[in-house]
Amino acid sequence: MAFLSDRLNRIKPSPTIAMTTRAAELRAQGRDIIGLSAGEPDFDTPAHIRDAAKAAIDAGHTRYTAVDGTPSLKRAIRDKFARENGLDYAPAQITVGTGGKQILFNALMATLDDGDEAIIPAPYWVSYPDMVLLAGGVPVIVECGLDQGFRLTPEALEAAITPRTKWLILNSPSNPSGAGYDRAAMQALTDVLLRHPQVWVLADDIYEHLVFDGFEFVTPAQVEPRLKDRILTMNGVSKAYAMTGWRIGYGAAPESLIKAMAKLQSQSTSNPCSISQYAAEAALTGPQDYIAESRAVFQRRRDLVVAGLNACPGIDCPTPQGAFYVYPSIAGLIGKTSAAGTVLTDDEAFANALLDEAGVAVVFGAAFGLSPHFRISYATSDEQLTEAVARIRRFCEGCN
Ligand SMILES: Cc1ncc(COP(=O)(O)O)c(C=O)c1O
């Protein structure tokens, strides 16, 4: 009898974390590596949020809290949804977990039976399919290529729905493509969903605030209120307030689902870190200047990276609406040979050669379910990005 479970054997370690670890190992060996694989802002958490955490420790907020969030944090989240999204949720319809990641995990574990399907547009965030598999569900991957702006079309959604479909997982703006759904594109999808009452939507809004060129962020429950009772709106403080390490994410949904998710959490992690909850409350209720400031910096970096990559032979880099990623195509490089003699058979070979030969760590497209592409996270300094783009250009110019 095998010791490790079948459930575990269904999944793989996160490829983005694997690439970041490999880059760190090479750096430890003394190699000059620029890391563009990790998905986190390079800024410090704003001072008033750090101060709130210190005050929470000194005030003795160091004990267990209610399993899925303190009442005051839930009120702050309710107010956030009302203020920023025009959504009216009661505190009983809100749950707080250890990162947005736990919210997604709880929701899928609490709802998927063996064989239930979850539709996942590709390119997707690496964790969605594995979380679905862990829960016993079947990921139904729908490829959404560069020609359709990496967005799911209503026709493709309609075609993917079956009587076993339980969830559509929608992430706008997207990791890894940065593509965002405007109101019309979102409405086209919600129109389809209105016809299929068995399908719920998991709206991953974690990059809500990172939108550029005046792009209007919308979330499905706001666009189609008639769907609100089968939507889980998920969000968190990691990306919006440079708080990845604090581990606070939240979700809003009908109370029955929220209760089910809390039941699961009560038997796994219990409450998210008490101190982080106080910090998250300060983030949501305090000054919001950081959001606009970081957005301006990310937009400048996006422009720098898109222009630099489009000057590389063989790379085609569309301009994303949001997040802090670009997802260029390398169709023009597949089959070529690098200056050091590596045959670029696929995007994984490209990413490995780029790391070994040019010292730039990126994540290959197959990890996100759409090839031949690679993902760059531009959440690093302008100097590093300029140097990385120069190295990628030299690498591409050396291929033939
Ligand atoms: C699309 C997407 N959703 C959710 C998360 C989870 O973020 P956290 O668990 O830090 O809230 C991430 C983090 O990389 C992400 O990229």
Side-chain angles (χ1 to χ4, degrees), residues 161-178:
I161 293 174
T162 77
R164 295 295 311 254
T165 309
K166 237 176 198 169
W167 287 103
L168 163 65
I169 304 182
L170 212 54
N171 175 217
S172 170
S174 146
N175 174 5
S177 71

Side-chain angles (χ1 to χ4, degrees), residues 39 98-101 104 125 128 171 175 204 206-207 234 238-239 244 247-249 325:
T98 300
K101 211 165 190 172
L104 295 166
W125 181 43
Y128 299 143
N171 175 217
N175 174 5
D204 181 341
I206 200 99
Y207 295 100
M234 188 231 100
S238 287
K239 320 283 176 171
T244 45
R247 312 305 304 128
I248 297 290
Y325 309 102

Side-chain angles (χ1 to χ4, degrees), residues 366-380:
F368 307 98
L370 191 81
S371 294
H373 287 262
F374 69 102
R375 186 194 78 172
I376 279 183
S377 162
Y378 53 83
T380 189

Side-chain angles (χ1 to χ4, degrees), residues 174-189:
S174 146
N175 174 5
S177 71
Y181 290 78
D182 64 16
R183 193 173 281 272
M186 191 65 88
Q187 184 86 57
L189 298 181

Side-chain angles (χ1 to χ4, degrees), residues 23-353:
E25 281 164 8
L26 289 177
R27 214 176 277 124
Q29 291 166 18
R31 293 274 313 275
D32 169 22
I33 305 291
I34 302 180
L36 304 179
S37 55
E40 64 179 343
D42 54 320
F43 305 116
D44 287 332
T45 304
H48 71 279
I49 301 175
R50 301 198 305 264
D51 289 343
K54 291 174 205 165
I57 295 174
D58 290 338
H61 295 308
T62 50
R63 299 191 163 81
Y64 294 130
T65 71
V67 165
D68 73 344
T70 63
S72 61
L73 176 54
K74 287 191 178 186
R75 284 194 297 274
I77 293 167
R78 175 199 61 193
D79 294 348
K80 174 263 180 269
F81 278 124
R83 180 178 73 235
E84 296 182 342
N85 309 109
L87 290 173
D88 180 23
Y89 285 111
Q93 296 175 306
I94 290 169
T95 185
V96 186
T98 300
K101 211 165 190 172
Q102 189 179 25
I103 302 296
L104 295 166
F105 188 85
N106 286 346
L108 296 169
M109 288 296 279
T111 55
L112 291 177
D113 281 319
D114 284 355
D116 285 343
E117 296 170 4
I119 297 173
I120 304 175
Y124 46 70
W125 181 43
V126 292
S127 295
Y128 299 143
D130 283 349
M131 283 189 192
V132 169
L133 288 168
L134 208 47
V138 180
V140 175
I141 309 297
V142 182
E143 282 199 11
C144 306
L146 188 140
D147 54 334
Q148 57 195 71
F150 302 118
R151 275 180 290 273
L152 179 65
T153 62
E155 296 76 25
L157 172 60
E158 184 78 61
I161 293 174
T162 77
R164 295 295 311 254
T165 309
K166 237 176 198 169
W167 287 103
L168 163 65
I169 304 182
L170 212 54
N171 175 217
S172 170
S174 146
N175 174 5
S177 71
Y181 290 78
D182 64 16
R183 193 173 281 272
M186 191 65 88
Q187 184 86 57
L189 298 181
T190 55
D191 284 351
V192 173
L193 294 166
L194 280 174
R195 295 196 290 273
H196 299 278
Q198 80 279 24
V199 185
W200 282 55
V201 186
L202 213 167
D204 181 341
D205 295 351
I206 200 99
Y207 295 100
E208 163 178 21
H209 289 299
L210 291 168
V211 286
F212 311 126
D213 307 321
F215 182 85
E216 184 207 3
F217 168 84
V218 291
T219 189
Q222 164 195 28
V223 168
E224 184 45 85
R226 284 175 292 173
L227 281 184
K228 189 167 166 238
D229 61 2
R230 45 190 173 102
I231 293 177
L232 169 62
T233 305
M234 188 231 100
N235 211 321
V237 295
S238 287
K239 320 283 176 171
Y241 302 98
M243 291 178 71
T244 45
W246 300 77
R247 312 305 304 128
I248 297 290
Y250 53 87
E255 201 174 331
S256 54
L257 176 59
I258 293 298
K259 275 200 177 130
M261 290 165 64
K263 180 174 162 190
L264 194 66
Q265 193 164 305
S266 77
Q267 296 294 19
S268 53
T269 56
S270 295
N271 64 273
C273 170
S274 59
I275 299 150
S276 296
Q277 290 190 66
Y278 282 88
E281 191 177 327
L284 292 171
T285 57
Q288 302 293 305
D289 314 325
Y290 170 82
I291 289 178
E293 285 161 19
S294 66
R295 181 189 289 152
V297 172
F298 283 128
Q299 177 162 337
R300 187 184 69 225
R301 291 176 178 172
R302 176 202 64 170
D303 293 344
L304 184 163
V305 170
V306 169
L309 290 176
N310 279 324
C312 300
I315 293 186
D316 178 9
C317 185
T319 304
Q321 287 80 36
F324 40 62
Y325 309 102
V326 290
Y327 199 62
S329 163
I330 50 163
L333 288 170
I334 296 299
K336 296 198 167 179
T337 304
S338 74
T342 309
V343 182
L344 305 178
T345 46
D346 55 20
D347 53 27
E348 186 166 2
F350 168 84
N352 286 333

